Amino acid sequence: MIAQPLPPAIGPEFEARVEVDGSSRAVVVLFWGTSLLWLTVASLAGIISSIKLHSPDFLGGIEWLTFGRIRAVHWDTAIYGFGGLAASGTLLWLQARLCQVRLPYRNLLLVGGVVFNIGILLGVIGILMGQSTGVETLEFPLWAMPLLVVPYVFIVIANFTMYFKKVTKHTYVSQWYLMAVTVWFPILVLSAEACTNLGAVDGVAQAIANWWYGHNVVGLFATPTGIAAAYYLIPKVIGKPIHSYHLSLLGFWSNAIFYNWAGTHHLTGGPLPAWTITLGVVGSLMMFIPVITIGINHHMTMLGSFHLLKTSPTLRFAVMGSMVYTLSSFQGSLEALRSHQEVTHFTHYTIGHVHFGMYGFFAPLMFAMMYYGMPRLMDQEWSSARLIRIHFWCTLVGMLIYVFAMCYAGIRQGLMMNDPAVPFLNIVRFTIPYLGLRTLGGVILLSGTIAFLINFIRIITPHKYTWATPTLLDSERDWRKVVAKEKEQ
Amino acid sequence: MSRTFILALGIFLTIASSITGLVIIPNWQFKALQPIVKLDGTRYPEPYFGEQAKGREIYINQGCIYCHTQQVRMKGYGADIRRGWGTRRSVPRDYLMDRPHQLGTMRTGPDLASIGARQPSAEWHALHLYNPQITSPGSVMPRFEYFFREVYDGEVIPNDAVKIPRGRQASNATHIVPTDRGRAVIAYLKRLNQSYPLPEANQ
Amino acid sequence: MFIWSFALISGITMVWLLAWAIRRGEFQNMREGARMIFDDQEPAGLVTDHFPGEPR
């Protein structure tokens, strides 16, 4: 390995970066920290529902813990609690850094972060008490939604304010995605709520609105944030500009145009006009364009730097995320085909795919963001390299077990379901060992999360660790000392 | 026009076009749909009222949708019809009264679009909901025992009690009596029936 | 029918937008955009992350 010379640590650009990071500290740490708490809750709820699916008497007969409620809590805390908070923290930190402006409205955002958390908590209690709206992904009772929407408006405003005040001359790829998220997400939530729970449309049109939302909340909220993170982290960590900026532009717009339309493939074979489903299939297939361009960009940038995976935790998670992005998107596009859906629709295969995307692509990129950002925000190193390794291997292995078990069982389940000679209960019996395997995968994932949580709690509390070799923040510390001395004089 | 403005406008247009194309236009297409008047003068589909409406609410808040669909795919696409889950494919008119919709996307359990026709027995539903192992050993469906009151050996047996088959009694309860909620869910399940041959389902 | 006209219209719009963007010079200075994440203190070529307390 080549020893890296450290550049001089004093200079106006460095000063500016430290100041910008400092301004976003409290807000971003609040968002990221609580997102990890929700990830833990979501994992626990997921494991409980998973166990209930192979051992239905586990915690059986308790109404508020019945499968249909705990399952809804699992997904809603995963997407809004973990996804919403982690992505918003990422958005604020990254946008401030890329615009090189201090984070505005800090107090408002802090209050917003707290309110958002309360909103999710109340929503969860509502579902457990039986007040779910019954619309998948929008289960939170209507009265809890303002507590989620209003804080998000603060985030949108802060994001635009930073963008308009930006000091830098250029706009970075990640920024397009972040801007897009803040335009899409509020429109998505408001129009989906209007179409479903507020009753603007009903019957089958409502089902389409439901899946337009259900698919887009992943595709237009989680995915762009994940891509933005990958576009920033991979080049930044390895110190090499992105492979092709032109391609990234093509990737962005084709993603924006096609992803929107893909949602109706969740209703293939359903009672919809055939053309709406065809649109969904076309949209899904067109996704090959952005996925390939984004994939080329990320993987070509990495080319020649794979040895760094050994030494950089951020890069490990970021590369895992971007690779799974390519794979799971291919899987998703093929899944939309009618002949494929005939078998795998309505089976565990879909669940496998969702977790491949969320836990193989989105979550690792958020973890990567935190691994990179937290030391810079807290001016303190991660306390344990071992815990980072445990987190990484648990995430990778747990995710692979989970996805393999669900996808394989799903295909077999679908084939049996399409053969009327197989009694239904035989299919149920067939899936049980795989559902058990899934519980195992879930427990491994949760163990990784707990390792991360321990490390996270340690980094936000003052600790003293001295390393034998220089660490990445030493240069920053030296600079701080110089400034402090100058001030004293 | 500034670049930022173009960026924001483009981003907005992408989402506006898809909701127009996928939700607003189909909704407008469905506006013309009306319930059909059957030969005997009744209408299909009818609104949910009374016990059925209450049963539907319970179906929603218990999350039955995470394991059951309510949509039958067309002949030749999957085996829905050959499995006896319906006699024809589902069409938009079947769902005119559904708010919120409960189409579902997961078949851990069988499709329920026409469960009322396939399984009209209230006793069967009562035993099955009380403890699925009684009627379907090996099932992974949760027990919904809180929809029922248990009657023990020696107690007076009410008229509407359902006998638990011998050998399937887990405790010393011999009979179960559906509570209001139990009756509502069963009424809802019995009403789910898409067997009326709507003309558009043959196209 | 509907699908093809939809595909055609969106395709034409895309090509037109692309041509318009090129004419406006949106594609110049691309390299600089890609480099804006680096600065004097973290220049291109510098690896900026590694496991804590371990040799680089």
PDB file of all heavy atoms in Angstrom, chain C residues 8-18:
ATOM      1  N   LEU C   8     -43.887   7.456 -28.474  1.00  0.00           N
ATOM      2  CA  LEU C   8     -43.388   8.337 -29.522  1.00  0.00           C
ATOM      3  C   LEU C   8     -43.305   9.784 -29.020  1.00  0.00           C
ATOM      4  O   LEU C   8     -42.276  10.447 -29.141  1.00  0.00           O
ATOM      5  CB  LEU C   8     -44.324   8.252 -30.734  1.00  0.00           C
ATOM      6  CG  LEU C   8     -43.691   8.687 -32.041  1.00  0.00           C
ATOM      7  CD1 LEU C   8     -42.645   7.663 -32.479  1.00  0.00           C
ATOM      8  CD2 LEU C   8     -44.759   8.859 -33.111  1.00  0.00           C
ATOM      9  N   ILE C   9     -44.403  10.215 -28.402  1.00  0.00           N
ATOM     10  CA  ILE C   9     -44.429  11.604 -27.943  1.00  0.00           C
ATOM     11  C   ILE C   9     -43.351  11.850 -26.892  1.00  0.00           C
ATOM     12  O   ILE C   9     -42.579  12.802 -26.978  1.00  0.00           O
ATOM     13  CB  ILE C   9     -45.824  11.952 -27.370  1.00  0.00           C
ATOM     14  CG1 ILE C   9     -46.854  11.961 -28.507  1.00  0.00           C
ATOM     15  CG2 ILE C   9     -45.798  13.312 -26.694  1.00  0.00           C
ATOM     16  CD1 ILE C   9     -48.275  12.066 -28.033  1.00  0.00           C
ATOM     17  N   SER C  10     -43.248  10.938 -25.932  1.00  0.00           N
ATOM     18  CA  SER C  10     -42.248  11.187 -24.887  1.00  0.00           C
ATOM     19  C   SER C  10     -40.848  11.087 -25.477  1.00  0.00           C
ATOM     20  O   SER C  10     -39.955  11.840 -25.087  1.00  0.00           O
ATOM     21  CB  SER C  10     -42.431  10.229 -23.712  1.00  0.00           C
ATOM     22  OG  SER C  10     -42.347   8.905 -24.145  1.00  0.00           O
ATOM     23  N   GLY C  11     -40.653  10.189 -26.454  1.00  0.00           N
ATOM     24  CA  GLY C  11     -39.346  10.076 -27.092  1.00  0.00           C
ATOM     25  C   GLY C  11     -38.957  11.359 -27.797  1.00  0.00           C
ATOM     26  O   GLY C  11     -37.858  11.877 -27.613  1.00  0.00           O
ATOM     27  N   ILE C  12     -39.905  11.893 -28.588  1.00  0.00           N
ATOM     28  CA  ILE C  12     -39.617  13.126 -29.330  1.00  0.00           C
ATOM     29  C   ILE C  12     -39.315  14.263 -28.359  1.00  0.00           C
ATOM     30  O   ILE C  12     -38.354  15.015 -28.530  1.00  0.00           O
ATOM     31  CB  ILE C  12     -40.804  13.489 -30.249  1.00  0.00           C
ATOM     32  CG1 ILE C  12     -40.920  12.439 -31.366  1.00  0.00           C
ATOM     33  CG2 ILE C  12     -40.623  14.872 -30.848  1.00  0.00           C
ATOM     34  CD1 ILE C  12     -42.126  12.625 -32.258  1.00  0.00           C
ATOM     35  N   THR C  13     -40.109  14.351 -27.303  1.00  0.00           N
ATOM     36  CA  THR C  13     -39.870  15.416 -26.325  1.00  0.00           C
ATOM     37  C   THR C  13     -38.475  15.304 -25.728  1.00  0.00           C
ATOM     38  O   THR C  13     -37.772  16.303 -25.570  1.00  0.00           O
ATOM     39  CB  THR C  13     -40.899  15.325 -25.183  1.00  0.00           C
ATOM     40  OG1 THR C  13     -42.125  14.862 -25.719  1.00  0.00           O
ATOM     41  CG2 THR C  13     -41.091  16.654 -24.514  1.00  0.00           C
ATOM     42  N   MET C  14     -38.069  14.070 -25.443  1.00  0.00           N
ATOM     43  CA  MET C  14     -36.750  13.882 -24.845  1.00  0.00           C
ATOM     44  C   MET C  14     -35.652  14.366 -25.779  1.00  0.00           C
ATOM     45  O   MET C  14     -34.750  15.085 -25.357  1.00  0.00           O
ATOM     46  CB  MET C  14     -36.521  12.394 -24.533  1.00  0.00           C
ATOM     47  CG  MET C  14     -37.233  11.902 -23.323  1.00  0.00           C
ATOM     48  SD  MET C  14     -36.204  11.594 -21.906  1.00  0.00           S
ATOM     49  CE  MET C  14     -34.858  10.629 -22.445  1.00  0.00           C
ATOM     50  N   VAL C  15     -35.752  13.952 -27.050  1.00  0.00           N
ATOM     51  CA  VAL C  15     -34.707  14.325 -28.006  1.00  0.00           C
ATOM     52  C   VAL C  15     -34.667  15.843 -28.158  1.00  0.00           C
ATOM     53  O   VAL C  15     -33.604  16.473 -28.139  1.00  0.00           O
ATOM     54  CB  VAL C  15     -34.969  13.651 -29.371  1.00  0.00           C
ATOM     55  CG1 VAL C  15     -34.018  14.194 -30.424  1.00  0.00           C
ATOM     56  CG2 VAL C  15     -34.838  12.156 -29.237  1.00  0.00           C
ATOM     57  N   TRP C  16     -35.853  16.441 -28.216  1.00  0.00           N
ATOM     58  CA  TRP C  16     -35.923  17.879 -28.378  1.00  0.00           C
ATOM     59  C   TRP C  16     -35.288  18.584 -27.165  1.00  0.00           C
ATOM     60  O   TRP C  16     -34.503  19.515 -27.286  1.00  0.00           O
ATOM     61  CB  TRP C  16     -37.390  18.293 -28.548  1.00  0.00           C
ATOM     62  CG  TRP C  16     -37.563  19.770 -28.655  1.00  0.00           C
ATOM     63  CD1 TRP C  16     -37.298  20.547 -29.742  1.00  0.00           C
ATOM     64  CD2 TRP C  16     -38.027  20.643 -27.627  1.00  0.00           C
ATOM     65  NE1 TRP C  16     -37.565  21.848 -29.456  1.00  0.00           N
ATOM     66  CE2 TRP C  16     -38.018  21.948 -28.170  1.00  0.00           C
ATOM     67  CE3 TRP C  16     -38.455  20.464 -26.317  1.00  0.00           C
ATOM     68  CZ2 TRP C  16     -38.416  23.058 -27.435  1.00  0.00           C
ATOM     69  CZ3 TRP C  16     -38.853  21.559 -25.583  1.00  0.00           C
ATOM     70  CH2 TRP C  16     -38.837  22.844 -26.121  1.00  0.00           C
ATOM     71  N   LEU C  17     -35.614  18.096 -25.994  1.00  0.00           N
ATOM     72  CA  LEU C  17     -35.054  18.697 -24.781  1.00  0.00           C
ATOM     73  C   LEU C  17     -33.531  18.586 -24.770  1.00  0.00           C
ATOM     74  O   LEU C  17     -32.831  19.525 -24.400  1.00  0.00           O
ATOM     75  CB  LEU C  17     -35.607  17.990 -23.547  1.00  0.00           C
ATOM     76  CG  LEU C  17     -36.946  18.499 -23.039  1.00  0.00           C
ATOM     77  CD1 LEU C  17     -37.427  17.639 -21.876  1.00  0.00           C
ATOM     78  CD2 LEU C  17     -36.806  19.946 -22.588  1.00  0.00           C
ATOM     79  N   LEU C  18     -33.054  17.423 -25.228  1.00  0.00           N
ATOM     80  CA  LEU C  18     -31.619  17.197 -25.244  1.00  0.00           C
ATOM     81  C   LEU C  18     -30.947  18.191 -26.182  1.00  0.00           C
ATOM     82  O   LEU C  18     -29.966  18.853 -25.830  1.00  0.00           O
ATOM     83  CB  LEU C  18     -31.360  15.760 -25.703  1.00  0.00           C
ATOM     84  CG  LEU C  18     -29.972  15.225 -25.398  1.00  0.00           C
ATOM     85  CD1 LEU C  18     -29.809  15.035 -23.909  1.00  0.00           C
ATOM     86  CD2 LEU C  18     -29.750  13.900 -26.117  1.00  0.00           C
TER      87      LEU C  18
END
